[in-house]
Amino acid sequence: MNFGQFYEIWLQQLQALQELASVPKPPSSPDHDPYLTHLVHRFISHYEDYYRVKSHSARTGRGGVFSIFAAPWLSSLERSLHWVAGWRPTTIFHLLYTETSARFEARLLDFLHGLRTGDLSDLSPSQLSLVSDLQCTTVTQENLITDQLSLWQESACHLVSDDQDDPEIQRLIKVLNNADDLRLSMMKKVVEILTPQQAVEFLIASAELQFGIRGWGLDKDRDRHNSLSLQQS
């Protein structure tokens, strides 16, 4: 199985997990938290599987690390949004702030009446402070990895083969692994800041964003292909 085939199966499993987690639940309580915590662990484990297989494919798969960067299994839109062969880690903070703001506005009257929801609209000041600090750290680490990739690109003129043992190939694989490690670790750290209920809502929103971009991108590629076919006929 190549990585593209694995990715399709992985997406199907993510969708099934998203649908399971999206089933309406009662407000979070001590008795309910274990179930929500279990869902969070399943989401995180699923992302860990993705990055583990991705790293293995970059080292040993057909096309190696160049195939991972080219990502032919993705739409043009998805590839255009990539940073080091994947989503930019700071995206999770933009998503979190967007979800928090939208939910807060929708429940503003409840808050004015002193009602607490315990969901993503109800982040505490200490949670917001931790998220802000983590975002600053992530930006710094992103910049370091961007510099690593730039240095690799400057030396790429010396690349004479696609041999996986070539030192330049190994350097690029290391940059990719650093980027993926940052993506995964930042997701885990954000989830650790949130309550189980908030974490499940955040992970559902993350999956929805991924599926939304993918669906839109595939539709655009299909429209472009049909348009070219009509012009050539």
Side-chain angles (χ1 to χ4, degrees):
M1 179 187 298
N2 62 37
F3 187 75
Q5 293 170 323
F6 163 80
Y7 183 68
E8 289 297 333
I9 295 173
W10 184 86
L11 277 181
Q12 293 172 12
Q13 294 172 341
L14 178 62
Q15 187 169 31
L17 185 56
Q18 175 201 11
E19 291 171 352
L20 173 65
S22 298
V23 174
K25 307 171 188 65
S28 184
S29 67
D31 292 335
H32 195 57
D33 276 357
Y35 173 69
L36 295 175
T37 300
H38 173 68
L39 282 177
V40 172
H41 287 164
R42 288 188 62 182
F43 266 104
I44 296 301
S45 177
H46 195 56
Y47 284 108
E48 288 174 337
D49 288 343
Y50 170 78
Y51 289 115
R52 182 169 56 252
V53 175
K54 183 180 179 184
S55 177
H56 178 75
S57 296
R59 289 182 283 107
T60 65
R62 184 176 181 181
V65 66
F66 296 127
S67 177
I68 297 297
F69 271 85
W73 48 85
L74 297 179
S75 67
S76 301
L77 174 61
E78 290 171 291
R79 288 192 293 272
S80 73
L81 297 174
H82 270 191
W83 169 84
V84 194
W87 51 272
R88 185 177 285 275
T90 46
T91 302
I92 65 176
F93 300 100
H94 299 306
L95 174 63
L96 181 61
Y97 291 139
T98 298
E99 286 294 313
T100 299
S101 177
R103 291 168 187 259
F104 179 82
E105 291 178 5
R107 293 174 172 80
L108 183 57
L109 289 179
D110 291 336
F111 285 109
L112 291 176
H113 287 89
L115 299 177
R116 314 304 298 183
T117 61
D119 61 10
L120 277 180
S121 67
D122 199 11
L123 295 185
S124 68
S126 62
Q127 284 178 310
L128 289 171
S129 178
L130 289 171
V131 169
S132 179
D133 290 344
L134 185 58
Q135 183 179 15
C136 292
T137 300
T138 306
V139 169
T140 299
Q141 294 179 341
E142 266 188 11
N143 291 338
L144 289 174
I145 295 172
T146 298
D147 290 342
Q148 291 173 2
L149 183 59
S150 296
L151 288 173
W152 182 88
Q153 290 171 333
E154 290 175 2
S155 63
C157 59
H158 302 298
L159 191 64
V160 295
S161 73
D162 59 358
D163 183 354
Q164 293 294 91
D165 294 327
D166 188 304
E168 291 301 319
I169 299 294
Q170 291 298 313
R171 280 183 60 202
L172 183 58
I173 292 174
K174 179 63 176 176
V175 173
L176 173 65
N177 287 339
N178 288 344
D180 283 344
D181 287 346
L182 182 59
R183 281 184 266 265
L184 182 59
S185 66
M186 289 304 104
M187 175 175 282
K188 288 181 176 180
K189 289 178 181 179
V190 166
V191 165
E192 288 172 0
I193 292 172
L194 304 176
T195 67
Q197 179 183 350
Q198 292 167 343
V200 168
E201 292 174 354
F202 167 71
L203 291 168
I204 291 174
S206 177
E208 288 175 344
L209 177 62
Q210 183 170 358
F211 287 122
I213 292 174
R214 180 165 180 78
W216 189 23
L218 291 175
D219 286 344
K220 291 297 182 182
D221 284 353
R222 191 178 301 111
D223 291 344
R224 189 178 303 109
H225 174 75
N226 292 338
S227 178
L228 289 173
S229 297
L230 287 174
Q231 292 175 14
Q232 295 170 359
S233 62

